[in-house]
């Protein structure tokens, strides 16, 4: 398991966390290359299906990250996202998906450093957790 | 204090007396029609019927231990748009609770409907009911009610009430406008009629039924019935949790699923007008299947089975009222209800939500607040 590299699917909002990731890049901050960013206009448009699908297809974790509460470009999209993440965190662990495999963070547009730190912290945690067992199943 | 009256029962035949009650109800000026389960003449099945002629109530049998479908969906069809008259709907407690969920989703309206709820003694699955009833029709119903209320077993030969009914902790339709009480009542003598709402009270006033008091034993009988069911339910929760605790076990649990989606069709609270699983989203390119297969060397076909069930849980588990029609509709005997009720018990608790309690409660995913669930982001807003 030495060479196990977790895959993180990150749904990041256009206005905050995507911009933060961009800033991390332009600031030449380095962080592990395990994350696949999917830019969405708002965390409020992240359908629970996207998260379920990602995990069933073998992603080791799903990160949903958007603007701080009060900063949402669409007023309250992140509040909606928070309820959906709450639902997923009740649902998925019932079927053996560790709670750590779904993560919600608020990372503002100027927080490039925090974005890099978040990914840097997640990777060793996921390595300790081991691969998503779905990878060995023939389910979809 | 709720108004209580009684329906007197003659010749030890509560069904006849109920039919008389429905007839009087339908004769009221403000009631245009009544929706009530009846034995259909062409075959001895019990289906909801919409009746406007008081003479056409002779096959009425709301006590039959079967409900082929959750009638909340029928009431939703009747009340989604203005109906042009009031309809009294005779429902089981789970049907009323499902209807209340649909009203919240604007798929039904309370304005032109009088909810008549009857204490529910449970039901067999559709398949088992046909074996139970044989050619006896209403007689089988009477035999069943007498047995249950006398505390005798509901098991017949190798079958019993459906697991959903055995695990149901809501046998009494407390949120009906008019409640007909059987539990803890000597139904060979009388049945209770209780008005729970102003609308129900006004109606009951007009029916001029003899006044009555709640029998002393009723509360105790209800408590003991509920306790029995809660015990069964908790055992079911524990067993199902164990049987689905990881993805491998969940896959075996759902192994017989053929993606027919009957559970979704039968579910009264699966609210989407068009399910995403039948849209183009899941009309995958043939090459996609090949890519999936190549990645693992083998995939089960049809695909998206586990995905379908988990997505359905994400959609409706907070609204699941536990009627068990999903299991009833499954052609491959997958214990769908057990899984959905077990997971629902957790999602409902997470949002402190009790589906079907009141139209005033907002569905958890239709609202959001500041300062809630801070633990998700490390305690920070």
């Amino acid at each position: 398991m030495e060479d196990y590299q977790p895959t993180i699917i990150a749904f990041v909002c256009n206005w905050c966390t995507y911009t933060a990731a961009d800033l991390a890049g332009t600031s030449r901050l380095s962080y592990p290359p395990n994350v696949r960013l999917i830019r969405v206009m708002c965390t409020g448009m992240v359908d629970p299906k996207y998260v379920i699908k990602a995990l069933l297809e073998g992603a080791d974790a799903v990160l949903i990250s958007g603007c701080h509460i009060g900063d949402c470009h669409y007023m309250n999209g992140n509040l909606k996202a928070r309820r959906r993440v709450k639902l997923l965190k009740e649902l998925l662990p019932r079927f053996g998906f560790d709670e750590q495999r779904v993560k919600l963070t608020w990372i503002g547009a100027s927080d490039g450093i925090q974005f890099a730190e978040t990914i840097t912290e997640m990777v060793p945690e996921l390595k300790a957790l081991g691969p998503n067992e779905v990878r060995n199943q023939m389910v979809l | 204090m709720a108004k209580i009256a009684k329906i007197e029962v003659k010749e030890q035949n509560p069904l006849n007396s109920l039919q008389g009650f429905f007839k009087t109800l339908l004769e009221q000026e403000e009631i245009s029609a009544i929706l009530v389960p009846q034995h259909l003449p062409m075959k001895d099945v019990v289906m909801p019927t919409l009746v406007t002629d008081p003479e056409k109530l002779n096959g009425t049998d709301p006590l039959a231990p079967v409900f082929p479908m959750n009638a909340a969906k029928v009431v939703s069809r009747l009340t989604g748009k203005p109906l042009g008259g009031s309809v009294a709907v005779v429902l089981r407690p789970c049907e009323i609770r499902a209807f209340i969920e649909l009203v919240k989703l604007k798929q039904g309206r309370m304005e032109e409907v009088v909810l008549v709820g009857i204490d529910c003694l449970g039901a067999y699955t559709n398949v088992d009911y046909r074996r139970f009833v044989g050619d006896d029709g209403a007689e089988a119903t009477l035999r069943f009610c007498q047995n249950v209320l006398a505390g005798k077993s509901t098991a017949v030969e190798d079958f019993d009430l459906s697991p959903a009914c055995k695990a149901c902790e809501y046998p009494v339709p407390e949120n009906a406008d008019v409640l007909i009480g059987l539990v803890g009542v000597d139904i060979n003598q009388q049945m209770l009629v209780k008005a729970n709402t102003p609308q129900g009270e006004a109606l009951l006033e007009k029916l001029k039924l003899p006044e009555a008091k709640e029998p002393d034993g009723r509360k105790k009988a209800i408590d003991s019935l509920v306790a029995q069911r809660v015990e069964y339910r908790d055992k079911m929760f524990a067993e199902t949790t164990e049987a689905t605790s990881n993805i491998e076990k969940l896959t075996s649990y759902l192994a017989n699923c053929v993606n027919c989606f009957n559970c979704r069709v039968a579910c009264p609270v699966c609210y989407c007008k068009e399910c995403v699983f039948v849209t183009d989203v899941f009309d995958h390119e043939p090459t996609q299947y090949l890519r999936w297969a190549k990645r693992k060397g083998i995939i089960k076909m049809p695909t998206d089975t586990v995905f379908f069930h988990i997505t359905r849980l994400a959609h409706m588990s907070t609204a699941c009222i536990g009627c068990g029609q999903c299991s009833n509709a499954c052609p491959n005997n997958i214990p769908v209800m057990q899984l959905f009720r077990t997971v629902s018990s957790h999602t409902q608790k997470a949002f402190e939500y009790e589906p079907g309690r009141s139209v005033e409660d907002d569905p958890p995913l239709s609202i959001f607040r500041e300062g809630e669930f801070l633990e998700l982001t490390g305690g920070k807003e």
Side-chain angles (χ1 to χ4, degrees), chain B residues 223-370:
Chain B
D223 288 347
S224 122
L225 181 64
V226 172
Q228 206 181 320
R229 290 180 170 185
V230 166
E231 191 189 327
Y232 182 92
R233 180 198 70 182
D234 290 346
K235 192 162 162 271
M236 174 183 94
F237 283 172
E239 285 168 4
T240 312
T241 302
E242 176 50 37
T244 56
S245 63
N246 62 39
I247 201 74
E248 193 177 351
K249 286 187 188 170
L250 179 68
T251 312
S252 347
Y253 192 91
L254 299 169
N256 292 339
C257 180
V258 293
N259 290 25
C260 71
F261 304 145
N262 282 5
C263 49
R264 180 206 71 206
V265 176
C267 179
V269 294
C270 226
Y271 47 80
C272 298
K273 291 286 182 190
E274 185 183 31
C275 177
V276 65
F277 281 85
V278 298
T279 62
D280 287 352
V281 174
F282 287 87
D283 192 8
H284 307 303
E285 289 294 323
T287 51
Q288 173 73 68
Y289 292 107
L290 205 56
R291 277 202 301 277
W292 277 328
K294 276 182 177 160
R295 185 164 22 155
K296 292 179 180 180
I298 176 172
I299 51 162
K300 191 220 80 174
M301 298 288 274
T303 55
D304 301 313
T305 307
V306 174
F307 189 22
F308 164 71
H309 288 284
I310 299 183
T311 302
R312 211 166 82 77
L313 278 165
H315 278 192
M316 51 56 71
S317 71
T318 53
C320 175
I321 41 80
C323 65
Q325 288 296 350
C326 44
S327 286
N328 203 1
C330 180
N332 291 304
N333 292 326
I334 298 167
V336 191
M337 177 283 296
Q338 286 86 333
L339 172 64
F340 276 63
R341 274 220 64 187
T342 303
V343 174
S344 297
S345 71
H346 293 278
T347 54
Q348 290 169 8
K349 198 170 158 217
F351 295 104
E352 293 169 5
Y353 184 68
E354 187 189 326
R357 196 188 68 91
S358 157
V359 285
E360 307 296 324
D361 303 341
D362 293 311
L365 292 176
S366 70
I367 50 163
F368 45 86
R369 295 196 185 89
E370 284 185 16

Side-chain angles (χ1 to χ4, degrees), chain A residues 49 53 56-57 69 76 79-80 82-83 86-87 90-91 94-96 104 133-134 137-140, chain B residues 244-247 251 292 295-296 298 300 304 311 314 343 346 350 364 367-369 372 375 381:
Chain A
K49 270 198 299 295
K53 174 75 171 171
L56 284 179
E57 286 246 4
I69 300 297
N76 50 30
L79 293 173
K80 294 171 186 164
R82 182 159 65 187
R83 283 221 156 203
K86 175 71 183 168
L87 177 77
E90 283 299 324
L91 206 58
R94 321 266 359 131
F95 310 125
L104 176 71
E133 62 169 309
V134 166
Q137 303 281 324
M138 57 165 156
V139 292
L140 272 177
Chain B
T244 56
S245 63
N246 62 39
I247 201 74
T251 312
W292 277 328
R295 185 164 22 155
K296 292 179 180 180
I298 176 172
K300 191 220 80 174
D304 301 313
T311 302
V343 174
H346 293 278
I367 50 163
F368 45 86
R369 295 196 185 89
E372 63 180 4
E375 74 280 5
E381 181 79 315

